[in-house]
Amino acid sequence: MPDSGLSRAQPIPTTDTGDRVPALTPPPGSAATAAARRTGILVTLVLGGLTALPPLSMDMYLPALPAVTDALHAPAATVQLTLTACLAGMALGQLVVGPMSDRWGRRRPLLVGMLVYIFATAICVFAPTAELLIGFRLLQGLAGAAGIVIARAVVRDLYDGEAMARFFSTLMLISGVAPVIAPVIGGQVLRITDWRGIFAVLTVVGVLLTLVVWKWLHETLPPAERHTGGVGDALRTMRGLLADRVFTGYMIAGSLAFAALFAYVSASPFVVQEIYGASPQTFSLLFGVNSIGLIAVGQINGKILVGRVSLDKALGFGLAVIVLAATALLLMTSGVFGDVGLVPVATGLFVLMSAMGLAMPNTNTQALMRTKHAAGSASALLGTSQFLIGAIASPLVGIAGEATAVPMAVVQLVCAVGAMTCFLGMCRPWRQVATRL
């Protein structure tokens, strides 16, 4: 695979504020300024596409689950494993791709991962049995993990400090739209073809994104900064990262916040429609509004708060709001205030989801700030932890059956309190010294 961008990689200068930028700042109004701005927008779109691909792979497929059950003559529980397999692949794949990108650079593992993703997705189009579909969905998730982990590592290569927090907030704007529109796209695809057509569309998206990456995403990790060791060295690096109490605190806090979000995604269709009697259209509207709230607060974080308020203060405030919202949801769903109806519950979910716009980008930023020389491995640990803890929390929301929303609120509150506890107890923001691995 030609590495056309490697020869053009340039040293990344450091500004007085500690923010790493991809090129020297050209004179205002010059042609170089316009070119730098276009390049920055292009990189943002490419990285946004990479982080959006896994949610598209998961959520476009959701409307097709009943059709897959009928077409493959498989039990619903077996077909559900196609989702679990893809999610598990995304979690475990990051542990492999992250260290690879620290050793061989960002482009090569990413391009290989994208090619494998295209192959696995194309095979899903023709899968004759549920078992084969599960197997290739696992491979699809393993390969798709390359986009998630390497996108975060590229951000760490190019930016530092406040600039990194701003970029993660911008990335959330792009990648946050994917889970909202993916089921809609999947539903429209099913109007003109069957469930196999969804995988055909994902294959085409994978091909286009691979071409964009090959053409425009240059290497961001210079050879001098790469790790030369093998598997043992990668394991030692990860062990060293986990031994850093502050890094691990941010990682677990972010993962528990992500698990509270996962609990919402898993339970909200049942809670909103079955318990509170909303129509599918109302549910779709509420889901979209909540997603807009998350994206909007993420943009407030990146455009307004960063540089004016410390990242830890913004993070702590976001976690506190999540705890309060989860507490209110538990009180409402358990009947403490009587039969409150849909509007108050929907309001609590909106507040909880919106506060994620402060929690998610700032935990990632603060964790990666400590991992200058192991961004790929650190990104892998962050992503794997989020997916695994989220996957564990997700099925717990239905543990008490379909007649109550209390389990959702309990899971969200436990995760929120756990996130706040890890943040305060392990990160200790009031005592923290800016150290880097």
Side-chain angles (χ1 to χ4, degrees), residues 120-156:
T121 308
I123 295 297
C124 287
V125 176
F126 305 101
T129 66
E131 290 74 19
L132 281 175
L133 184 60
I134 291 169
F136 283 102
R137 284 283 279 174
L138 175 64
L139 182 60
Q140 184 191 42
L142 288 168
I148 306 173
V149 67
I150 292 180
R152 274 195 302 260
V154 168
V155 174
R156 183 63 186 93

Side-chain angles (χ1 to χ4, degrees), residues 6 11 50 81 86 142 184 206 250 253 256 261 409 414 418 424:
L6 182 59
L50 290 173
L81 290 176
C86 188
L142 288 168
V184 178
Y250 285 122
L256 288 171
L261 186 151
V414 170
L424 296 177

Side-chain angles (χ1 to χ4, degrees), residues 79-418:
V79 174
Q80 286 284 350
L81 290 176
T82 61
L83 294 175
T84 304
C86 188
L87 184 63
M90 290 179 188
L92 299 176
Q94 296 184 62
L95 290 177
V96 177
V97 178
M100 286 173 60
S101 72
D102 282 338
R103 182 176 184 183
W104 290 303
R106 312 304 185 200
R107 274 176 58 87
R108 293 177 189 174
L110 176 57
L111 289 170
V112 170
M114 292 301 298
L115 291 174
V116 175
Y117 174 89
I118 292 168
F119 168 76
T121 308
I123 295 297
C124 287
V125 176
F126 305 101
T129 66
E131 290 74 19
L132 281 175
L133 184 60
I134 291 169
F136 283 102
R137 284 283 279 174
L138 175 64
L139 182 60
Q140 184 191 42
L142 288 168
I148 306 173
V149 67
I150 292 180
R152 274 195 302 260
V154 168
V155 174
R156 183 63 186 93
D157 292 339
L158 297 179
Y159 300 98
D160 203 351
E162 295 172 357
M164 182 163 48
R166 292 191 185 97
F167 196 95
F168 273 128
S169 295
T170 302
L171 212 57
M172 180 177 288
L173 173 64
I174 300 171
S175 61
V177 174
V180 180
I181 65 172
V184 178
I185 296 174
Q188 295 305 309
V189 171
L190 290 175
R191 292 171 65 91
I192 58 176
T193 183
D194 62 6
W195 63 271
R196 298 181 188 275
I198 292 177
F199 289 109
V201 171
L202 287 171
T203 302
V204 173
V205 172
V207 170
L208 294 176
L209 189 54
T210 301
L211 292 175
V212 169
V213 168
W214 182 80
K215 175 73 174 176
W216 283 296
L217 188 63
H218 300 163
E219 182 58 65
T220 59
L221 185 66
E225 296 184 13
R226 297 176 189 175
H227 294 185
T228 57
V231 175
D233 183 66
L235 293 175
R236 283 190 294 272
T237 298
M238 288 189 174
R239 185 174 60 188
L241 291 170
L242 293 174
D244 177 10
R245 171 180 48 78
V246 178
F247 170 83
T248 303
Y250 285 122
M251 180 186 74
I252 298 177
S255 299
L256 288 171
F258 190 70
L261 186 151
F262 251 57
Y264 158 78
V265 172
S266 299
S268 59
F270 150 71
V271 169
V272 173
Q273 296 180 82
E274 299 298 327
I275 295 180
Y276 291 97
S279 66
Q281 292 74 25
T282 300
F283 165 71
S284 298
L285 176 63
L286 293 176
F287 193 91
V289 168
N290 289 344
S291 299
I292 291 171
L294 186 153
I295 294 169
V297 173
Q299 294 311 292
I300 292 172
N301 178 72
K303 305 297 184 183
I304 299 176
L305 298 182
V306 171
R308 295 179 174 88
V309 179
S310 74
L311 299 183
D312 278 330
K313 287 182 179 179
L315 171 57
F317 180 77
L319 292 177
V321 171
I322 294 172
V323 170
L324 292 174
T327 302
L329 284 168
L330 179 57
L331 294 175
M332 287 187 287
T333 57
S334 61
V336 172
F337 302 127
D339 185 7
V340 297
L342 177 60
V343 173
V345 172
T347 302
L349 289 172
F350 174 78
V351 173
L352 184 144
M353 283 290 291
S354 298
M356 294 291 176
L358 293 176
M360 300 307 299
N362 289 328
T363 50
N364 286 335
T365 299
Q366 291 291 69
L368 289 173
M369 279 281 288
R370 304 179 63 82
T371 60
K372 177 179 179 181
H373 301 300
S377 297
S379 178
L381 289 172
L382 289 172
T384 300
S385 175
Q386 288 177 359
F387 276 97
L388 288 180
I389 295 179
I392 292 171
S394 182
L396 297 178
V397 299
I399 198 170
E402 301 180 359
T404 175
V406 170
M408 177 195 72
V410 169
V411 170
Q412 290 175 329
L413 181 57
V414 170
C415 290
V417 171

Side-chain angles (χ1 to χ4, degrees), residues 59-69 79 186-187 190 194-196 198:
D59 296 344
M60 273 185 65
Y61 179 63
L62 293 178
L65 286 177
V68 176
T69 301
V79 174
L190 290 175
D194 62 6
W195 63 271
R196 298 181 188 275
I198 292 177

